[in-house]
């Protein structure tokens, strides 16, 4: 099963700029061919920290950091830039054209009820291009700040859409994002959505970020497609134990608190294998 209830608070971005057409992505163990230039993948089995809830000095031993696109990259680390690509931030519906919010048969906006986020409508080619244009401005910002890769979240929003969105539509949209990321020299992650891992080459996705694959016994679904270029985030002690037991010698694995709180704040949790 895909993790549908783990979603995080994310910051907003501004709109403008167009989305690119799909460029093929061919993977080697360390480098992904990205059309006009090559992109570098995060090192496998490296120390990782998930900081999308707030940036702080990476702990000792961390070489790879994921931060929100509104933050700056961590100096001297491999940096992954988080963007909420398939849903609107809580309360940010007004920042999107009304017709780009997914609506049901009654015309009501469809929400991810766990996080209060409106789903974005990617059912048509025109809407996919328009949504990708806005998200593309965030990807541009990631590149200009010096991030190495991008993490587009909520790829699996079709599973929360009441069957209004399809896997095919989600993949058509993420191909636009992967092409644009590659053109900007950024690697791009598949976030969750283990059932689509086998399509990662066609979708232009270079590595995976998997929430709770230990807890849900999904890690092998990612490694079968991405090899050891899989980053695992667990939110429970049991999940961490399972992930470490099965994959601790191969993958980057960390346990964080559900709100991915900054170090020093109440509720902060960070553990590794």
């Amino acid at each position: 099963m895909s993790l549908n209830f783990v979603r995080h608070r994310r910051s907003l971005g501004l709109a403008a700029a167009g989305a690119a057409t799909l460029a093929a992505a061919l993977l080697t163990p360390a480098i992904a061919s990205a059309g006009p230039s090559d992109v570098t993948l995060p090192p496998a089995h490296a120390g990782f920290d998930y900081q999308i809830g707030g940036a702080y000095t990476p702990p000792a031993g961390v070489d790879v950091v994921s931060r929100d696109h509104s933050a700056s990259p961590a100096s001297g680390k491999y940096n992954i830039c988080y963007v909420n690509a398939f849903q609107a931030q809580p309360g940010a519906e007004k920042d999107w054209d009304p017709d780009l919010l997914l609506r049901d048969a009654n015309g009501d906006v469809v929400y991810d009820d766990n996080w209060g986020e409106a789903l974005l409508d990617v059912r048509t080619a025109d809407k996919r291009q328009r949504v990708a244009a806005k998200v593309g401005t965030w990807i541009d910002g990631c590149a200009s700040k010096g991030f190495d890769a991008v993490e587009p979240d909520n790829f699996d929003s079709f599973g929360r859409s009441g069957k209004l969105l399809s896997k095919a539509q989600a993949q058509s949209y993420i191909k636009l994002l992967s092409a644009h990321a590659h053109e900007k020299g950024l690697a791009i992650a598949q976030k969750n959505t283990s059932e689509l891992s086998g399509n990662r080459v066609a979708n232009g996705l270079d590595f995976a970020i998997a929430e709770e694959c230990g807890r849900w016994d999904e890690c092998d679904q990612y490694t079968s497609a991405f090899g050891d270029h899989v980053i695992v985030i667990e939110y429970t002690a049991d999940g961490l134990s399972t992930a470490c037991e099965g994959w601790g010698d191969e993958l980057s694995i960390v346990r964080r608190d559900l709100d991915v709180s900054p170090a020093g704040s109440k509720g902060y949790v960070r553990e590794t294998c």
Side-chain angles (χ1 to χ4, degrees):
M1 66 183 286
S2 292
L3 179 64
N4 288 336
F5 65 86
V6 176
R7 290 294 175 267
H8 304 296
R9 297 172 178 84
R10 311 154 182 109
S11 63
L12 304 177
L14 301 175
T21 56
L22 175 63
L26 304 174
L27 217 61
T28 69
I31 299 293
S33 176
S37 63
D38 288 336
V39 298
T40 302
L41 303 186
H45 192 223
F48 173 72
D49 200 17
Y50 207 39
Q51 298 189 2
I52 66 171
Y56 53 90
T57 301
V62 167
D63 295 313
V64 180
V65 176
S66 186
R67 289 179 172 176
D68 188 81
H69 69 90
S70 63
S72 297
S75 177
K77 311 297 180 183
Y78 185 100
N79 286 274
I80 302 169
C81 192
Y82 174 98
V83 296
N84 189 2
F86 286 77
Q87 299 181 180
Q89 292 297 110
E93 295 89 344
K94 64 182 181 303
D95 294 331
W96 293 88
D97 291 341
D99 68 319
L100 294 183
L101 302 176
L102 184 68
R103 298 176 186 274
D104 61 20
N106 296 321
D108 296 325
V109 175
V110 179
Y111 283 87
D112 175 348
D113 291 332
N114 292 298
W115 293 97
E117 296 178 353
L119 274 62
L120 299 176
D121 191 346
V122 295
R123 289 179 291 185
T124 69
D126 173 70
K127 289 184 177 181
R128 288 191 289 271
Q129 290 281 351
R130 289 165 60 202
V131 175
K134 182 179 181 72
V135 175
T137 65
W138 305 340
I139 293 175
D140 294 345
C142 296
S144 65
K145 287 181 177 182
F147 281 89
D148 302 288
V150 63
E151 172 192 351
D153 199 10
N154 292 311
F155 187 22
D156 57 356
S157 64
F158 57 83
R160 297 181 292 281
S161 71
K163 298 185 178 180
L164 292 173
L165 299 174
S166 70
K167 293 177 181 179
Q169 292 161 354
Q171 291 177 97
S172 293
Y173 168 52
I174 209 163
K175 290 174 183 178
L176 299 176
L177 301 185
S178 63
H180 191 69
H182 288 161
E183 289 181 355
K184 293 296 180 178
L186 300 174
I188 183 169
Q190 175 177 306
K191 179 70 173 292
N192 299 325
T193 328
S194 60
E195 66 270 33
L196 297 182
S197 295
N199 299 338
R200 66 103 178 157
V201 173
N203 290 332
L205 301 171
D206 304 311
F207 65 102
I209 296 179
E211 289 176 303
E212 300 205 299
C213 71
R215 179 182 181 185
W216 300 116
D217 193 25
E218 295 179 329
C219 296
D220 58 346
Q221 295 182 47
Y222 296 102
T223 58
S224 64
F226 294 93
D228 57 5
H229 287 292
V230 179
I231 294 171
V232 178
I233 303 136
E234 298 290 336
Y235 298 103
T236 66
D238 287 346
L240 178 66
S241 177
T242 300
C244 290
E245 181 179 351
W247 310 100
D249 293 335
E250 302 174 42
L251 307 181
S252 299
I253 302 173
V254 69
R255 179 189 175 193
R256 289 299 328 269
D257 57 283
L258 191 58
D259 288 327
V260 284
S261 310
S265 62
K266 183 178 180 180
Y268 171 78
V269 173
R270 183 181 186 274
E271 300 174 3
T272 60
C273 298

